Amino acid sequence: MGRKLGLDLDQVVAAATQIADSEGLGALSLASLASALGVRSPSLYTHVDGLDGLRRQLTFHAARLLTVELTDAAEGLEGTKALTAIAVQLRSFAHRHPGLYETFLPAPTPDEDPDLASALEGPVKLVGSVLASMNIDPIHVIPLIRALRSAVHGFIDLELHAGFGLPDDIDDSFTTTINLVIETIAAVEEKAMLDQA
Amino acid sequence: MGRKLGLDLDQVVAAATQIADSEGLGALSLASLASALGVRSPSLYTHVDGLDGLRRQLTFHAARLLTVELTDAAEGLEGTKALTAIAVQLRSFAHRHPGLYETFLPAPTPDEDPDLASALEGPVKLVGSVLASMNIDPIHVIPLIRALRSAVHGFIDLELHAGFGLPDDIDDSFTTTINLVIETIAAVEEKAMLDQA
DNA sequence: TTATATTGTCTAATGTCATTAGTCACGCGA
DNA sequence: TCGCGTGACTAATGACATTAGACAATATAA
């Protein structure tokens, strides 16, 4: 006993990710994680500040991963193409990492946990910058970001939690949903350009 | 000890609702509920089948309450007016009963829990009947219901879990979000009527 | 190379919760 | 008044999280 396994935070987070994504975030306990790592649960306190700390680290990991994925997805695209690519990639992330996706809510306020709050801003800022380059009246930007986020997140959340009764054509429904919002955004852009002229 | 308090299921569910709505569904335990009722936790097994059974009863209660509220809200309205009224009332329900709202997800599949699944269909059917009376190509009905549900649920979920960083004008953003979807639905209806002619 | 400090794991103990089994008081109907 | 069912109870078990403190393995310094 007492031998060192050389366990570090990355391995802990990787194993936690595995559990959360395959069995659900709710199934991630210090006990289950310790067991997966071949260690006793108190040992995890060396790497992580209890269960809350573990979840916090998982959220950081998720935010970093997602930010990279979305940035790559939008790479070289502009306007509605970029928005669509981001939405599709976010849904793909949620499918591949349902446990990590779950860690995004509830989100901490900036005064509760400034570091985590700012890590979570990455994706929001990305969408914001796309809209900023889209010639939209600044007054409309925030409501439109929220509409898009709501539609995409709502769809994913319902999909992940069996909210849609019928299994048919879920991909089609997703396309309809995001096109509906993104085309409206494009229409607002059009209008802004006409008003300018 | 051993005196009968005449506790019944309604009182149990009412107290559970109170806890879930004020402290969050996660704070609803048999221990906290028993304590609120002045009773020991094993006593609750007389009224409810464990914690899972309690949550199930809470979901039934929530579904009944919501179905009544939405039906009343849509009373006498048609088309986009009805859809707007339903969306607004759903958000209001979520504000007044965040704990009950949370019980709607995850939703059981019809073969897991047929009774509960059918209780949850109430609100969905209501929206379906509004759309059915709206002269929309049946092929589009399901995707449009899903788009509306996604947008409304996503907005509520983000709002309840502090997903929106800025506090400004959340009501406005909600209006924007649902108008965006509902106006698109109206446009699809228009188009269907033109095609008919 | 040996002594020392640090690090990572362990065992032991406590407290909270859900759950099950079995006990017993209350009050209604015969 | 008797008896019996209902609805509470206590006791016990097992899964967790968490803290404290022991100890072995490694890294560092003399």
Side-chain angles (χ1 to χ4, degrees):
Chain A
M1 334 122 173
R3 56 197 146 297
K4 302 188 156 193
L5 298 184
L7 208 56
D8 67 7
L9 181 58
D10 282 350
Q11 294 172 56
V12 169
V13 170
T17 298
Q18 157 66 31
I19 293 172
D21 284 339
S22 61
E23 295 169 55
L25 189 56
L28 176 62
S29 62
L30 291 183
S32 64
L33 177 58
S35 161
L37 288 166
V39 121
R40 305 299 184 135
S41 38
S43 308
L44 295 174
Y45 284 77
T46 301
H47 305 285
V48 122
D49 190 12
L51 185 58
D52 287 348
L54 173 64
R55 285 201 266 249
R56 182 171 182 269
Q57 291 302 325
L58 211 56
T59 308
F60 272 115
H61 178 238
R64 283 189 295 261
L65 198 54
L66 179 64
T67 300
V68 169
E69 284 197 16
L70 296 189
T71 304
D72 287 356
E75 175 71 27
L77 301 178
E78 283 185 7
T80 58
K81 300 273 189 196
L83 295 179
T84 300
I86 289 169
V88 167
Q89 190 68 30
L90 177 58
R91 178 165 177 248
S92 162
F93 179 91
H95 288 167
R96 285 173 289 121
H97 298 291
L100 294 186
Y101 186 83
E102 262 192 79
T103 69
F104 294 137
L105 288 183
T109 59
D111 51 87
E112 280 168 6
D113 190 333
D115 292 346
L116 189 53
S118 86
L120 290 169
E121 273 174 25
V124 177
K125 280 185 178 164
L126 177 63
V127 175
S129 71
V130 173
L131 265 85
S133 72
M134 264 181 89
N135 218 312
I136 291 176
D137 185 340
I139 296 188
H140 294 139
V141 167
I142 287 186
L144 289 177
I145 288 184
R146 286 175 173 169
L148 183 56
R149 270 187 83 193
S150 294
V152 174
H153 170 254
F155 194 97
I156 289 169
D157 200 47
L158 288 170
E159 180 180 25
L160 288 183
H161 297 98
F164 294 134
L166 312 165
D168 47 82
D169 290 324
I170 301 222
D171 289 354
D172 277 0
S173 294
F174 183 70
T175 303
T176 299
T177 300
I178 66 172
N179 280 349
L180 189 157
V181 180
I182 291 174
E183 280 168 16
T184 302
I185 293 175
V188 170
E189 183 185 26
E190 283 288 315
K191 182 171 175 303
M193 294 180 76
L194 291 177
D195 288 351
Q196 269 183 355
Chain B
M1 333 130 171
R3 55 198 146 296
K4 302 187 155 189
L5 299 185
L7 209 56
D8 67 7
L9 181 58
D10 282 350
Q11 294 171 55
V12 169
V13 169
T17 298
Q18 157 66 30
I19 292 173
D21 284 339
S22 61
E23 295 169 55
L25 189 57
L28 176 63
S29 62
L30 291 183
S32 64
L33 177 58
S35 161
L37 289 167
V39 122
R40 306 297 186 138
S41 38
S43 307
L44 296 174
Y45 284 77
T46 302
H47 305 286
V48 121
D49 190 11
L51 185 59
D52 287 348
L54 173 65
R55 285 201 266 248
R56 182 170 181 269
Q57 291 302 326
L58 211 57
T59 308
F60 271 115
H61 177 238
R64 283 189 295 263
L65 199 54
L66 179 63
T67 301
V68 169
E69 286 197 15
L70 296 188
T71 304
D72 286 356
E75 174 72 28
L77 301 177
E78 284 185 5
T80 58
K81 299 274 188 195
L83 295 179
T84 300
I86 289 169
V88 167
Q89 189 68 29
L90 177 58
R91 178 165 176 247
S92 163
F93 179 90
H95 288 166
R96 285 172 290 120
H97 298 293
L100 294 186
Y101 186 83
E102 261 191 81
T103 68
F104 293 137
L105 289 184
T109 59
D111 51 85
E112 279 169 5
D113 189 335
D115 292 346
L116 189 53
S118 87
L120 290 169
E121 272 174 26
V124 178
K125 281 184 178 165
L126 177 62
V127 174
S129 71
V130 173
L131 265 85
S133 72
M134 266 183 86
N135 218 312
I136 291 175
D137 185 341
I139 296 188
H140 295 140
V141 167
I142 286 186
L144 289 177
I145 288 185
R146 287 176 173 168
L148 183 57
R149 273 187 82 194
S150 294
V152 174
H153 170 254
F155 194 98
I156 290 169
D157 200 47
L158 289 169
E159 180 180 25
L160 288 182
H161 297 98
F164 295 134
L166 311 165
D168 47 83
D169 291 322
I170 301 222
D171 288 355
D172 278 0
S173 294
F174 183 70
T175 304
T176 299
T177 300
I178 64 172
N179 280 350
L180 190 157
V181 180
I182 291 174
E183 281 169 15
T184 301
I185 293 175
V188 171
E189 184 185 24
E190 283 288 316
K191 183 170 175 304
M193 295 180 75
L194 291 177
D195 288 351
Q196 269 182 353

